[in-house]
Amino acid sequence: MSSRPALTAVLLLLALVAGLAPGTAAASPGDGAADEAEPAAAAADWAAPLSTRGRWIVDANGDRFKLKSGNWHGASGTWNGDGDKADDANHHAGENAGRVPIGLDRAPMGEIIAGFQEIGINSVRLPFSNEMIRDTAPVADDAVAANTGLRGRTPLEVYDAVVRALTDAGLAVILNNHTNTTRWCCGVDGNERWNASQSVGQWEDDWLFMARRYQDNKRVVGADLYNEVRRNILDDPNWGLGDNHDWFTASQRVGDRILTEANPDLLIVVEGINWTGIPVDGFPHGRPTLEPARNLSHTLVDSGKLVYSAHFYGYTGPNHSGATGTGETTDPRYQDLSPSELIDVTNRQAFFVSGEQDKHFTAPVWISEFGVGGREETKEKPRAWFENFVDQLVRTDADFAYWPLVGWHENGTGNGWALLHWDAAGKRIGVNDGDDWRSGAWNRLVGADGRTGHVDPATEWSVLSPDHADFVASRRMRDAGDWDSGARKAACPDDQRIVGLSHTGNRGLCSDVTAGALWDGGGAHETVKDERYVTDGNDWASGYTKLQCPDGSFLNGFSVRGAAVSSALCAKAAPGKLGGGGGRTVWFDRGDDRGDSPKGGEFASGHLKGQCADDEYVAGVAYTGRVGSARTPDALYCRPLG
């Protein structure tokens, strides 16, 4: 083993590439005001707001709304971090966006947005930085030369105008917190985590500010919480450890705060972890993406608002940072994989979320960044990867967002990744102008057959995970206050009920299966800590302590102290929702008891689990205080629904 000074030196060197995930990705869009060529107000064929039903995003009428999106970058910064910010050479690919969405110096906003519609997109991922929100310096006149009505405005005011113009044209907008600071992403750049260059409190406050700012514009449909969470010099992000690097907990908390304190209409978009470990052969490293969600997924206070997100680029890989030279490993890049290998890997990393139904993690998956070089990309592997990845998007009927939409060109040459390019004189070349090899794949993607029309409501399955703190996904119980002081509390969303518990691990499974929402309109509930409702002659777990709900109530939550059961949260059911008669005992202290074909998925990996049938509700939980027992759940009392 190396000495600590030597290891630190390695980390400092290699951390420079430790988060390169989607390499050329990341920026942020600003706003632009109405100007010379205002986009014509288009009658949108969808009704806001958006929500989810199982793996599908739907509009307010319940019709499928597929996110066919692109990224309009620039407002979160294009400066590389070194040298004079006014010098174009110090910006990514020489494209200086001037702290606003790129291209406003070269074309009227209306023309740019009309170009988006022309290439077939219906939505825009619009990056911003936290620094941009508080940046009071007016943008340079040169940055908005083709949109003179934006002169003298701050970056946020330009962002406002861009949002308004996009939504006036009928496009949906997803706000994307791309970076902390206004500079190009993504490496060890001070933007690795949501709290890399700022406090968690500031990050949450900024999200509440942005969500409230656009709450009256219903075509602002989503909050993409943070871009490409990754390793910094010494520390990895994680999914569920409960510390200051825990992306699962941070995104869960701010998502709930957005819905309860700022804007309940927004989709909450959670991207997987982009990179962990040291990119050196022999050291652990890789791209977890959404794989951790298989065992621990988000449960928001409002069902039907969660969307998961992932990024894929050909030059990166499941264990490849995307670097060339320092930080390059022998791991394959995505573009090195065969078509079948690419399907297998991307299914494992992301597409399983939308591909497997009736699981606690089932949700729409939005591939919010993917892309490739255009006219100047002549290498076989990147071209083949793009064709193969588009095939995968079509095959899975996935929501997507290309990176990027807008770029610069001079005499047809330049960065080349964008789908639309403008030169300094305002002349545009686009993906469909006849000389861009990507045109066929792009049009195959935006024109692909997929699910359309009405989507029936889907059964929800959700996980409760009071691993380190309260996990109360119920609006009613949040309003009710502390219903078991000193204990860690967990409660299902108001339209779901407990259907399963784990023997150890403090996990619960919620659902609305079979009967939908059970809770009465008044939200009546009771915290049960003893056997007062166990009737004579109905000892359903002899020798065990039984926390049983009163007749007419169902288990909607629980609390724990350490590993031990502390109380049962019993919610009063609406009339006719619960059946009469007896019940049955499900034991899971020595082995799983979940029925023959349990739904909901692996909600407590590595722990024994018990689960009532779909046509039953949980009326009680039993445990023992015998020597050697930790007073963890041992049995459920399952009774029939009405």
Side-chain angles (χ1 to χ4, degrees):
M1 288 292 290
S2 301
S3 66
R4 183 164 182 80
L7 177 59
T8 300
V10 170
L11 290 171
L12 288 170
L13 177 64
L14 296 176
L16 295 176
V17 294
L20 292 181
T24 74
S28 83
D31 30 344
D35 206 40
E36 287 95 335
E38 284 289 329
D45 59 355
W46 59 283
L50 302 182
S51 59
T52 70
R53 292 182 175 178
R55 59 87 74 226
W56 309 104
I57 297 172
V58 299
D59 72 2
N61 296 322
D63 293 328
R64 199 264 174 106
F65 185 89
K66 183 175 182 176
L67 292 177
K68 300 181 180 182
S69 320
N71 288 268
W72 192 3
H73 76 290
S76 61
T78 50
W79 181 53
N80 285 325
D82 295 309
D84 184 359
K85 293 181 181 179
D87 187 345
D88 293 351
N90 297 324
H91 290 253
H92 178 74
E95 297 177 338
N96 182 357
R99 299 178 295 148
V100 299
I102 192 168
L104 297 179
D105 60 328
R106 300 183 169 216
M109 194 189 318
E111 179 184 323
I112 295 173
I113 294 173
F116 297 166
Q117 294 169 313
E118 179 185 320
I119 62 174
I121 68 171
N122 61 14
S123 44
V124 170
R125 182 177 184 246
L126 200 58
F128 68 87
S129 73
N130 299 90
E131 183 182 17
M132 183 207 83
I133 296 172
R134 290 174 291 280
D135 188 347
T136 59
V139 302
D141 287 353
D142 287 350
V144 290
N147 294 268
T148 56
L150 299 177
R151 289 180 178 175
R153 302 196 187 188
T154 66
L156 180 57
E157 289 170 340
V158 176
Y159 193 90
D160 289 339
V162 168
V163 169
R164 185 171 61 251
L166 287 166
T167 56
D168 283 351
L171 296 169
V173 170
I174 298 92
L175 309 174
N176 165 231
N177 186 191
H178 211 70
T179 52
N180 296 174
T181 64
T182 306
R183 60 169 290 184
W184 185 256
C185 170
C186 296
V188 179
D189 54 6
N191 297 307
E192 300 88 352
R193 295 192 308 275
W194 60 99
N195 57 350
S197 300
Q198 61 189 355
S199 68
V200 173
Q202 183 65 66
W203 177 63
E204 291 184 359
D205 287 346
D206 285 350
W207 257 122
L208 297 181
F209 170 82
M210 292 295 279
R212 289 170 181 147
R213 189 172 185 87
Y214 306 109
Q215 64 182 332
D216 293 331
N217 186 343
K218 298 307 178 185
R219 288 180 183 164
V220 176
V221 299
D224 185 348
L225 299 180
Y226 202 72
N227 183 72
E228 294 183 13
V229 174
R230 57 197 182 276
R231 182 185 178 90
N232 62 8
I233 291 176
L234 293 174
D235 298 304
D236 284 328
N238 67 77
W239 192 279
L241 295 185
D243 59 16
N244 199 39
H245 302 158
D246 182 353
W247 174 230
F248 170 81
T249 297
S251 53
Q252 172 74 41
R253 175 179 162 84
V254 79
D256 280 341
R257 290 198 69 192
I258 290 169
L259 293 173
T260 58
E261 300 177 40
N263 189 341
D265 289 332
L266 294 178
L267 296 173
I268 302 299
V269 182
V270 180
E271 188 178 330
I273 293 177
N274 194 259
W275 186 266
T276 61
I278 305 169
V280 176
D281 288 336
F283 285 82
H285 57 266
R287 195 178 312 282
T289 319
L290 290 172
E291 290 186 67
R294 181 175 286 280
N295 293 324
L296 178 59
S297 60
H298 294 70
T299 299
L300 298 172
V301 292
D302 295 328
S303 302
K305 286 298 181 182
L306 175 67
V307 174
Y308 278 121
S309 172
H311 295 176
F312 291 101
Y313 290 91
Y315 63 88
T316 68
N319 297 97
H320 200 300
S321 71
T324 300
T326 302
E328 185 174 10
T329 61
T330 57
D331 304 292
R333 304 171 190 260
Y334 290 113
Q335 65 192 29
D336 296 326
L337 304 177
S338 69
S340 61
E341 290 171 333
L342 182 65
I343 291 170
D344 290 344
V345 168
T346 56
N347 282 347
R348 186 189 77 230
Q349 292 194 299
F351 292 102
F352 74 92
V353 174
S354 58
E356 297 181 30
Q357 305 308 299
D358 282 322
K359 301 293 194 294
H360 63 82
F361 53 75
T362 302
V365 169
W366 185 37
I367 306 303
S368 56
E369 286 188 27
F370 74 104
V372 70
R375 291 165 175 80
E376 297 180 358
E377 179 56 81
T378 59
K379 294 179 181 178
E380 179 181 351
K381 281 190 174 182
R383 287 191 172 204
W385 170 82
F386 187 69
E387 296 281 354
N388 292 334
F389 190 70
V390 164
D391 287 344
Q392 173 72 333
L393 292 173
V394 172
R395 180 183 301 108
T396 57
D397 199 3
D399 300 82
F400 61 85
Y402 184 89
W403 182 280
L405 284 171
V406 179
W408 291 3
H409 83 95
E410 296 302 328
N411 297 318
T413 64
N415 180 20
W417 278 63
L419 297 177
L420 300 169
H421 295 83
W422 278 265
D423 68 11
K427 181 181 178 181
R428 193 197 84 175
I429 56 174
V431 67
N432 291 327
D433 285 347
D435 59 345
D436 192 323
W437 67 271
R438 300 169 299 175
S439 178
W442 174 254
N443 288 297
R444 186 167 77 253
L445 177 60
V446 294
D449 291 334
R451 177 156 187 173
T452 60
H454 187 74
V455 177
D456 290 333
T459 298
E460 298 282 349
W461 299 89
S462 307
V463 171
L464 298 180
S465 54
D467 301 357
H468 312 289
D470 287 354
F471 199 99
V472 179
S474 163
R475 283 179 175 264
R476 288 174 172 175
M477 295 313 301
R478 287 182 174 217
D479 292 341
D482 191 345
W483 41 275
D484 190 355
S485 180
R488 302 194 312 279
K489 293 166 284 293
C492 297
D494 292 340
D495 56 355
Q496 297 183 39
R497 67 184 189 276
I498 294 281
V499 295
L501 292 176
S502 63
H503 175 55
T504 54
N506 300 137
R507 293 288 170 83
L509 179 65
C510 304
S511 186
D512 60 356
V513 64
T514 303
L518 298 182
W519 213 338
D520 77 323
H525 62 274
E526 180 178 357
T527 303
V528 176
K529 299 182 179 181
D530 54 36
E531 295 191 340
R532 69 184 64 188
Y533 294 114
V534 179
T535 58
D536 291 340
N538 187 31
D539 188 352
W540 50 270
S542 180
Y544 286 70
T545 300
K546 295 167 284 292
L547 305 183
Q548 183 174 329
C549 294
D551 287 346
S553 294
F554 61 95
L555 191 71
N556 197 51
F558 59 94
S559 62
V560 294
R561 297 176 189 270
V565 176
S566 176
S567 70
L569 175 64
C570 299
K572 183 179 179 181
K577 287 290 188 177
L578 305 183
R584 66 185 182 100
T585 303
V586 170
W587 292 97
F588 52 100
D589 55 335
R590 294 188 178 94
D592 279 2
D593 190 346
R594 303 182 60 203
D596 294 333
S597 301
K599 299 173 185 174
E602 181 60 74
F603 67 91
S605 179
H607 301 272
L608 303 178
K609 295 169 288 296
Q611 186 170 331
C612 293
D614 291 354
D615 59 355
E616 295 175 325
Y617 70 96
V618 180
V621 56
Y623 62 87
T624 179
R626 291 194 295 255
V627 174
S629 171
R631 295 179 57 194
T632 61
D634 293 309
L636 297 178
Y637 185 38
C638 301
R639 302 185 70 183
L641 291 165

